[in-house]
Amino acid sequence: MTKTQDMTAMFKDVMGSFPVDTAAMEDAFKTSATLNEKLSGVALTAVEKSSEISSKWTKDTLAKMADMSKAKAEPADYAKAMTDFASASAETAAEHMAAFAEIAKKVQMDTVELMMAAGKDMQEDATAAVKKASNDVQAAAKKATAK
């Protein structure tokens, strides 16, 4: 007579043979934390440079306002001072906006570079994890069917 194989015991052995590897999760967390650190660095550098531009812009504007607010001998001089202030303000606004655009461009380039590198790292990690899991499953299946 043939003996019926105990399927419950076999599934129990198979499931017990599957290794639980937390290294993949730890590596993913480390990769994510490193990416976040680099992205934060990019953002903080941009904020620092933007603050410097804003501060310089404010100082320039205040200096021009001081010139404009000085007492004038003739009424026409007030109109000229206002015109000079307005044209100087427009000129510096264009300069400062160009500086802000350069910061934004650098942030965009750095972010894309970091995301591309992170994507490559994650793809390599995922490939290695899938390969390891596949090998572990095959080994566990062979072990379970050998009993």
Side-chain angles (χ1 to χ4, degrees):
M1 239 187 189
T2 59
K3 182 178 175 188
T4 307
Q5 194 173 19
D6 184 5
M7 296 303 275
T8 305
M10 184 181 78
F11 278 116
K12 185 177 179 183
D13 289 343
V14 168
M15 296 313 260
S17 297
F18 282 110
V20 177
D21 185 16
T22 59
M25 288 301 291
E26 290 172 9
D27 290 344
F29 177 78
K30 288 177 185 175
T31 301
S32 176
T34 302
L35 175 62
N36 287 337
E37 178 183 0
K38 290 176 182 178
L39 288 172
S40 295
V42 168
L44 291 173
T45 300
V47 167
E48 181 181 356
K49 289 179 181 179
S50 294
S51 296
E52 289 171 4
I53 292 169
S54 294
S55 176
K56 185 178 181 311
W57 194 352
T58 301
K59 288 178 184 178
D60 290 347
T61 302
L62 291 174
K64 290 173 186 143
M65 287 184 80
D67 290 341
M68 183 184 70
S69 64
K70 291 180 181 172
K72 313 286 187 249
E74 296 292 323
D77 292 339
Y78 288 101
K80 183 180 179 329
M82 282 293 274
T83 303
D84 291 345
F85 175 77
S87 64
S89 294
E91 183 180 318
T92 57
E95 291 172 10
H96 289 100
M97 293 308 291
F100 282 127
E102 285 298 316
I103 292 171
K105 188 167 105 177
K106 175 134 176 58
V107 167
Q108 182 181 19
M109 290 181 348
D110 290 350
T111 301
V112 167
E113 184 179 308
L114 287 173
M115 296 305 277
M116 298 275 287
K120 182 180 174 193
D121 291 346
M122 288 180 190
Q123 182 180 9
E124 289 171 358
D125 291 347
T127 301
V130 167
K131 186 175 181 180
K132 184 180 183 314
S134 176
N135 291 340
D136 291 347
V137 166
Q138 287 176 356
K142 286 179 183 177
K143 183 179 174 184
T145 56
K147 288 186 180 183

